[in-house]
Amino acid sequence: MNHRFLLSVALMACIGTASAQQAQPAQPAQQPAARPAQQTLTPQQQAQLAKQNTDMSKAALQVMQMVDANQIGEIWDNASATMKRMVTRDDFVKQITIDRNNLGKVSSRGNPAVSRSQFPAGAQVPEGFYLNVAVPSTFAKSQTPVRELVSFRLDEDKTWRVSGYSLRGPSDGK
């Protein structure tokens, strides 16, 4: 698990480097621009990233299938302690049940998209590394696809645990 943490740190550094480079003003043409050393992923890191994307997409699908099977409480039971501090088990189960009842039974799920984030202390989201898996899903009572999102947090023991589940349709504006 430690290599996954290091990979996440490396990815966050790459993202930070890319963002910092985009924010810099253009250098005058007559002076050569000083180029900071860019971090690139090695083939081994790229393979680890692809494997992590596959593994986490499978884990997210398992969470979605648990929601389908009305095993929402079990998701909360095994979730990140950070999520458990933010929402009670009853509220988690209640809200997801309401949202899913409004949409009806799942009809299909598309290809997952994986994204990563790091939040510092004091942010609106608790500090840490997060991985999100978003899937366009169709439901019996919805004319348009809905984004089904499962979020994971890398906990202090270097284990990825569920930190959220949400459904967002086009009218949600989020």
Side-chain angles (χ1 to χ4, degrees), residues 89-143:
R89 186 181 200 272
D90 288 344
D91 287 344
F92 183 75
V93 171
K94 180 181 175 184
Q95 189 58 56
I96 292 174
T97 300
I98 290 169
D99 291 345
R100 286 299 294 270
N101 285 343
N102 288 338
L103 291 169
K105 205 170 186 174
V106 69
S107 303
S108 68
R109 289 191 170 100
N111 293 324
V114 177
S115 63
R116 292 163 177 79
S117 302
Q118 178 183 9
F119 292 95
Q124 289 181 336
V125 174
E127 178 180 14
F129 291 100
Y130 292 84
L131 186 144
N132 299 305
V133 180
V135 176
S137 302
T138 56
F139 293 88
K141 296 180 186 178
S142 177
Q143 303 259 337

Side-chain angles (χ1 to χ4, degrees), residues 22-165:
Q22 290 174 1
Q24 293 176 351
Q27 298 288 329
Q30 62 265 49
Q31 293 181 350
R35 298 187 76 123
Q38 287 188 345
Q39 291 181 322
T40 57
L41 297 179
T42 67
Q44 181 184 14
Q45 289 171 323
Q46 291 173 1
Q48 287 176 337
L49 182 62
K51 182 179 181 333
Q52 184 183 50
N53 286 353
T54 299
D55 292 347
M56 297 307 288
S57 293
K58 286 178 184 176
L61 180 59
Q62 289 175 337
V63 170
M64 293 173 201
Q65 290 170 338
M66 290 177 74
V67 172
D68 296 343
N70 201 26
Q71 297 173 329
I72 303 164
E74 292 178 37
I75 296 168
W76 190 92
D77 293 341
N78 295 303
S80 172
T82 301
M83 183 186 95
K84 291 178 179 181
R85 286 191 295 272
M86 303 288 289
V87 63
T88 67
R89 186 181 200 272
D90 288 344
D91 287 344
F92 183 75
V93 171
K94 180 181 175 184
Q95 189 58 56
I96 292 174
T97 300
I98 290 169
D99 291 345
R100 286 299 294 270
N101 285 343
N102 288 338
L103 291 169
K105 205 170 186 174
V106 69
S107 303
S108 68
R109 289 191 170 100
N111 293 324
V114 177
S115 63
R116 292 163 177 79
S117 302
Q118 178 183 9
F119 292 95
Q124 289 181 336
V125 174
E127 178 180 14
F129 291 100
Y130 292 84
L131 186 144
N132 299 305
V133 180
V135 176
S137 302
T138 56
F139 293 88
K141 296 180 186 178
S142 177
Q143 303 259 337
T144 57
V146 173
R147 185 193 73 177
E148 207 169 358
L149 179 73
V150 179
S151 299
F152 297 91
R153 181 179 185 274
L154 185 63
D155 282 342
E156 289 70 21
D157 65 355
K158 309 297 183 243
T159 300
W160 289 102
R161 290 191 178 84
V162 172
S163 62
Y165 172 88

Side-chain angles (χ1 to χ4, degrees), residues 1-48:
M1 282 298 195
N2 194 25
H3 69 278
R4 287 186 181 169
F5 175 74
L6 294 175
L7 179 60
S8 296
V9 171
L11 290 172
M12 291 304 147
C14 290
I15 292 167
T17 299
S19 297
Q21 288 174 354
Q22 290 174 1
Q24 293 176 351
Q27 298 288 329
Q30 62 265 49
Q31 293 181 350
R35 298 187 76 123
Q38 287 188 345
Q39 291 181 322
T40 57
L41 297 179
T42 67
Q44 181 184 14
Q45 289 171 323
Q46 291 173 1
Q48 287 176 337

